Amino acid sequence: MSEMNLNSKPEEGRRRGWLPWAIGGALVVLTLVVFAQTGRFQFLNFDDNLYVSENPRLAQGLSLRGLAWAGTANLTEREPHAEYWAPLTLISRLADVQFFGLDAGAHHRTNVWL
């Protein structure tokens, strides 16, 4: 009887070993299905114009000058009552503009990928 229990434990472990991988894979697929839709979305009229689509510094794309700006910029220079400092976000946006222009869908797909 004890031999049967010893033999069945490795099989149970093998059977249960795939479960975390299956759950993880399902979560990845579900996340991609839900968020892949954002590639069809446009910029929002809420604040994307201020931070992205109408920001003259971002429109210049990646450059040494742009990188220096990203490290010191208050993104809301046109809105003096608010402050928003996010250098890594700005560098990512500069790269998006450099490679994709102002294609909102491409910016959203980059965010999903990240």
Side-chain angles (χ1 to χ4, degrees):
M1 185 88 166
S2 63
E3 285 181 29
M4 290 175 64
N5 289 340
L6 289 175
N7 290 336
S8 66
K9 286 184 181 180
E11 284 183 27
E12 283 181 27
R14 280 192 293 260
R15 274 186 258 153
R16 280 189 265 162
W18 64 267
L19 187 59
W21 290 100
I23 292 171
L27 288 172
V28 167
V29 168
L30 182 61
T31 300
L32 289 175
V33 165
V34 170
F35 287 101
Q37 303 174 58
T38 62
R40 295 189 311 260
F41 298 164
Q42 297 300 313
F43 289 123
L44 296 176
N45 196 15
F46 177 65
D47 62 359
D48 285 345
N49 60 333
L50 178 65
Y51 297 134
V52 183
S53 62
E54 294 176 14
N55 188 317
R57 299 279 187 131
L58 282 178
Q60 297 172 7
L62 275 176
S63 67
L64 289 177
R65 190 174 185 186
L67 292 174
W69 168 77
T72 60
N74 172 5
L75 255 182
T76 56
E77 53 195 33
R78 295 188 310 192
E79 297 281 335
H81 64 278
E83 291 188 22
Y84 178 47
W85 183 73
L88 293 177
T89 301
L90 286 176
I91 292 169
S92 175
R93 289 180 177 161
L94 285 167
D96 283 344
V97 170
Q98 181 71 36
F99 297 114
F100 310 119
L102 291 175
D103 175 11
H107 287 243
H108 296 316
R109 284 187 293 275
T110 299
N111 288 333
V112 169
W113 181 80
L114 291 174

